[in-house]
Each structure stands twice: as structure tokens, then as C-alpha cells.
Amino acid sequence: MPVKRTDKTPMPVREPQLRAHDFEEVNEGYCFAHAMFEAERCLRCQDPVCTDGCPVRVPISDFMHAVAANDIPKAAEILRSANPLAAICGRVCPQESQCEMNCHMTKRFGPVAIGHLERYVSDWEMSQPMSDEVQEPWREEKVAIIGSGPSGLVCAGELGRMGYKVTVYEALHAPGGVLRYGIPEFRLPNSILDWEIKQLERLGVEFVNNVIIGKNITMDALFKEYGYAAVFIGTGAGLPKFMGIPGESLNGVYSANEFLTRINLMQAFEFPRAETPLKVGKRVAVIGSGNTAMDAVRSAMRLGAEHAMVVYRRSENEMTARVEEYEHAIEEGVEFHWLTNPIEVLGEDGWVTGLKCMRMELGEPDDSGRARPVPIEGSEFVFPVDNVVLSIGTRPTPLLVKTTPGLKTHSWGGLLGDEREVETSVHRVYAGGDAVTGAATVILAAGAGKRAAEAIHHEIQAEAA
Ligand code: FAD
Ligand code: SF4
């Protein structure tokens, strides 16, 4: 039974709430022998369809050849020239639905483990000594990047490499976007992100944290007062959606964004050493079925939940999380309740005590092409829970749009881009990543950052000529 609490009774904090090492990366990387074995499985196909499946078109066959020849520096060079966030993508990219899905080996023998080799090579690269030398920008023009997620980081890096003076403005107190505040350390250690950011600093890129563009500095001021020649918007899609069901404002209900940010950015698991607590009870229900839901539910387990469950209104077949994340969640003991739709969060004295749900069945496909969940009359029941974490999607925040005249969006809030999705409706303002596409993936955001850097360079040089 849930514990009865009053507003004045703080939720009990178990000691120790979490050991820091519970958040360390859970998977070991490949060893040398394993990497060679996998690379030698590559057929070096005439039509390397694996590359067609890669949003940034890594020349995978050449990369495999270099690994098989044990020329790891060359493999690293090939990889990095196409994917500036290789160490990160080697850990979080959904290869099974991209390059590895296309691989000619997939049907009969299983795909070449492209993602694991990407990680193997970039981990080697990170183990190499790094010089402290910082490149001096050699061009006069300055570019501002708003947001330090993968789209902003890649755009900054590419422009830095071209010799521009680049400043990345970040609203939070540490750079990285979702890579830092969303994806937990057991999947993506902060040390990897820090290494990538260090590479950008070596290219002369400057990071300014704790600045909200559109509030502390307007877009207009970036051009007129600060003298930037172009601006890239990589502000992501961090505004959580809510279900609009009764009880959502009870204590103990979190959006997945808030839940994960408190853990990953604010180190809530160090409470009371860290100042921001996260009150996690013994039974936690996470609503949704994407990567974010898996991260939230696995984090809840690490924070001491004895029953951590995923509640989703469709079936396992319609789940949107990576298969790998789903399997890890099962291994860790997460319960899955498919075809179950929450209709009310129940509470006592202001705190969550239960989640009222209905059983569903699948009907005809809806606009998204997925089977429509249909409620089964009279099937209501209650899960006794202490916390509810909503992970049903996010959308771009409207702040920048509201404060930037002429910056147009789709009706759902995504910034309007051109056919290559990098030019906005405002001259010399470019955009990419989740702010344009809605919640998507790291590699798509990185690809957009790269295209935007090329477009910015092209525009600046064309106007200067
Ligand atoms: P973001 O990463 O969202 O970064 C935007 C940054 O802009 C933020 O730091 C924000 O604080 C800052 N910002 C916003 N507004 C302003 C402003 N006005 N001024 C200054 N700064 C501002 N993708 C995968 O490929 N694999 C995964 O396994 C995966 N797991 C995920 C797990 C979680 C929990 C989440 C939430 C997402 C996951 N994704 C995953 C999706 C992926 O992380 C995103 O698609 C990607 O990070 C989007 O990058 P972005 O550059 O568009 O923006
Ligand atoms: Fe190698 Fe598979 Fe790509 Fe062929 S499709 S080049 S086997 S990784």
C-alpha cells in the first residue's frame, strides 16, 4: 500500500539514495580481437548500402577496411571527417534502424557491428594525448550558436574548423543539451561529452553558459550590438507535453525532462550534498515508450524504486525506443504494461498514490500509420504508485519565436526551414535539430548542424564577394 503523507511530511529520502557508480556506463567496449573479427566480416561491398542508411554518410566500407588493417588512426580520421560526434554516436545512435539495418550481411549472418566499431575507434582516439594548443580564428566574421546540443556543437565545430569566431550560448549551466541533461551517464558518460567539447574549444569555439537568447539577449541584439554575421538556432525541443488528465499537478508527478534533468544535470542522487532533490518512492510509473521513457524508468530503478514500470497505450510492436534500450530495461527488472492507458493520477494530501488506467485494444491505423488504441469499456483499474513520470513527447519552446520578429514556425511549433531545413524565414538566421524536426535523433541533429555550417559559410562568402 502507498505510504500516507501530508503536504508537510517530506518524502523519506533513503540513505544512500544512490551510489554514484550506479550511474556509470553499463556496457564494456570491444577488445582488439573482437574489433578485428567484426571488421573482417565486412564484405567491402561495391554498393555499400550501409552508408546510404547513415544520415551523415560515413564511408563505412573504407572505415571497416582501415580497422581490419589495424590502421586505427586512419579509421579515426575517416570517421571524424564525416561524423564529428563519433564517440557519442557509437553509443547512442539507433544503428539497427540505419546503417546496420541496410548491411548486406544482415539477412543471413547478422549485420557487421558498425556502431560498436565506431565506439571502439573513437574510444581509441580519446585515449591519445591531446595538445593544449588553441587555434586562432583567422576570419573576421563572428557566428553565434544558440543551444549546445548536438546540432549546435557540430555547427560550431565545422565553423571553427573553417576559421570563424564562434560563440555558443547555452541557457543551462553546462553545455551539451540532451546529451548532458537527458541521456543518463550509464548510457553516455559525461567524460565523453566533455572530451568532444574540449575539441571544439581547441578550435577556438567559445562557450557562454547561463544565457537565454530571447530573454537575456535578443536575436536583434546578437546582430546589431554583438556584431554576429550569422546565427544558428539549435534550441531543441525541450518543452514537455502533458496528458491533460486529472491529478497531473499532484506532488510526485514529473515530466521526463524534469526528472532526468534533476538527475543528470543537478546530480539529485547526491542529495543532500547536491541541492536539488528528487523524491522517488518505491513504485514508479513512466508513461510512454520512447528512449526517454526507457532512460527515465532505468534511472528510477537506480534511485531505489522497487517496482519501476512502463505504461503504454499501444502494444510492444508500436514501441518507439531502441530495441537495445528495451532489452536493457527488461534485464534490469522494469515491468511493461502494454495496451494500458492512464486516465487519472490519484492522490492523497497532495501526493500521488495511484495511477488509474484503462485497458486498450488496437483498432485501425491512425494518421501516424500506427494501430489506433481503443479503450475497452469497464476495464478501469488502479496501479498503486508513488511517482508518475510523463514521457509522451516534447516540442520546441516558443520563447525565441515570440521575441524574434519574422521568425516563422509550423503550427506545431517547429521552425520553418528551407528544403534542406537549415535556413529560417529570417535573413542570416539558420536552424537545425529538434527545433526544426521535432524530437528526433542525435545524428539527425548533428547532420543538420553540419549542413547549416556549410550554408552559413556559403552565404557569408557570397555576400563578401
Ligand atoms: P538539444 O540536445 O535539445 O539541445 C538544445 C539546447 O539548447 C539545450 O541545451 C537547451 O538548454 C538550449 N537552449 C534552448 N533554448 C535556448 C535559448 N533560448 N538560449 C540558449 N540556449 C537554449 N537520440 C538518439 O539518437 N539516441 C538516443 O539514444 C537518444 N536518447 C534520448 C534520450 C532522451 C532522454 C532524450 C530527451 C532524447 C534522446 N534522443 C536520442 C534524442 C536526441 O538527444 C535529440 O534528438 C538531440 O539531442 C537534439 O539535438 P538538438 O541539438 O536539436 O537539441
Ligand atoms: Fe560492409 Fe555491410 Fe557496408 Fe557491405 S553493407 S560494406 S558488409 S558494412
Side-chain angles (χ1 to χ4, degrees):
M1 284 293 291
V3 184
K4 189 176 175 198
R5 299 186 196 95
T6 68
D7 270 338
K8 293 190 185 98
T9 320
M11 275 225 354
V13 176
R14 283 180 300 284
E15 275 292 344
Q17 216 184 16
L18 185 82
R19 297 173 304 270
H21 70 256
D22 286 340
F23 271 85
E24 282 170 11
E25 197 173 22
V26 287
N27 306 311
E28 290 297 324
Y30 266 18
C31 67
F32 173 76
H34 204 161
M36 291 302 130
F37 174 81
E38 268 306 318
E40 279 166 12
R41 289 181 65 227
C42 173
L43 305 169
R44 302 215 65 208
C45 306
Q46 289 296 310
D47 61 333
V49 284
C50 47
T51 293
D52 297 340
C54 172
V56 293
R57 298 195 63 80
V58 171
I60 293 166
S61 166
D62 297 347
F63 165 64
M64 291 293 163
H65 185 59
V67 179
N70 194 17
D71 190 349
I72 307 301
K74 175 142 185 233
E77 194 188 310
I78 294 172
L79 194 55
R80 190 155 285 278
S81 64
N83 183 1
L85 297 179
I88 291 169
C89 291
R91 286 169 168 79
V92 305
C93 246
Q95 289 99 5
E96 68 281 359
S97 57
Q98 300 181 153
C99 54
E100 291 182 10
M101 184 177 79
N102 281 10
C103 175
H104 283 307
M105 294 281 278
T106 300
K107 266 197 188 138
R108 291 192 62 188
F109 306 107
V112 175
I114 302 166
H116 284 286
L117 289 173
E118 188 177 17
R119 174 175 163 180
Y120 173 80
V121 169
S122 37
D123 282 0
W124 170 86
E125 193 186 15
M126 284 192 297
S127 71
Q128 300 306 297
M130 190 199 298
S131 106
D132 283 339
E133 228 169 275
V134 176
Q135 171 189 289
E136 272 297 313
W138 61 87
R139 294 184 195 272
E140 273 308 305
E141 296 89 349
K142 302 195 296 180
V143 181
I145 310 285
I146 313 177
S148 64
S151 66
L153 293 180
V154 169
C155 190
E158 296 297 296
L159 288 165
R161 242 179 286 282
M162 293 176 204
Y164 290 96
K165 291 179 186 161
V166 183
T167 309
V168 180
Y169 291 97
E170 169 54 51
L172 298 173
H173 64 260
V178 169
L179 303 175
R180 187 171 311 266
Y181 76 74
I183 303 181
E185 285 229 55
F186 56 80
R187 283 216 291 135
L188 178 63
N190 279 340
S191 56
I192 308 236
L193 179 59
D194 293 339
W195 186 87
E196 297 285 7
I197 288 166
K198 188 85 195 149
Q199 302 307 305
L200 301 187
E201 285 172 344
R202 285 178 56 215
L203 288 169
V205 173
E206 186 196 1
F207 287 86
V208 180
N209 298 328
N210 297 312
V211 173
I212 304 174
I213 303 295
K215 192 171 179 189
N216 307 118
I217 305 175
T218 62
M219 178 74 81
D220 198 42
L222 285 178
F223 285 104
K224 292 189 181 146
E225 288 172 34
Y226 290 73
Y228 289 105
V231 174
F232 173 77
I233 304 176
T235 46
L239 191 65
K241 290 182 189 165
F242 288 85
M243 294 187 76
I245 58 176
E248 271 181 327
S249 55
L250 284 164
N251 290 317
V253 179
Y254 297 98
S255 72
N257 259 35
E258 181 187 352
F259 190 74
L260 289 167
T261 303
R262 279 176 183 245
I263 297 169
N264 298 330
L265 193 69
M266 315 291 191
Q267 265 87 49
F269 52 83
E270 296 272 15
F271 183 77
R273 265 193 302 279
E275 283 177 356
T276 311
L278 186 67
K279 294 176 177 176
V280 175
K282 291 200 185 298
R283 300 182 65 103
V284 178
V286 175
I287 303 170
S289 76
N291 285 321
T292 308
M294 299 303 146
D295 284 341
V297 78
R298 293 176 69 196
S299 297
M301 291 214 82
R302 283 161 173 76
L303 281 162
E306 287 167 11
H307 297 280
M309 64 183 95
V310 164
V311 177
Y312 182 49
R313 63 194 181 132
R314 292 186 163 95
S315 79
E316 186 182 11
N317 296 334
E318 288 80 34
M319 171 189 74
T320 53
R322 292 186 65 193
V323 176
E324 193 177 296
E325 301 316 321
Y326 175 42
E327 286 171 354
H328 285 150
I330 292 174
E331 277 165 22
E332 290 174 8
V334 171
E335 300 162 22
F336 285 84
H337 297 277
W338 307 112
L339 292 168
T340 306
N341 195 32
I343 51 173
E344 185 177 354
V345 183
L346 306 174
E348 265 177 44
D349 301 325
W351 286 91
V352 173
T353 57
L355 185 64
K356 189 172 180 185
C357 299
M358 274 188 98
R359 299 275 180 223
M360 310 294 274
E361 58 191 356
L362 292 180
E364 292 300 308
D366 61 15
D367 295 345
S368 71
R370 294 182 299 172
R372 184 190 299 273
V374 182
I376 300 175
E377 286 307 316
S379 64
E380 292 87 347
F381 67 100
V382 174
F383 284 121
V385 293
D386 303 307
N387 296 98
V388 173
V389 181
L390 294 152
S391 178
I392 55 164
T394 54
R395 55 197 164 85
T397 42
L399 175 71
L400 212 46
V401 176
K402 280 189 186 157
T403 56
T404 309
L407 191 58
K408 294 195 178 131
T409 64
H410 295 281
S411 54
W412 52 269
L415 287 170
L416 276 189
D418 71 348
E419 70 280 3
R420 291 174 75 229
E421 291 187 343
V422 290
E423 274 178 39
T424 68
S425 49
V426 177
H427 182 55
R428 289 222 181 173
V429 176
Y430 298 76
D434 287 4
V436 171
T437 57
T441 62
V442 171
I443 194 68
L444 285 172
K450 204 168 159 180
R451 288 198 304 278
E454 283 158 17
I456 289 170
H457 174 58
H458 188 262
E459 177 77 21
I460 290 178
Q461 295 312 313
E463 285 193 19

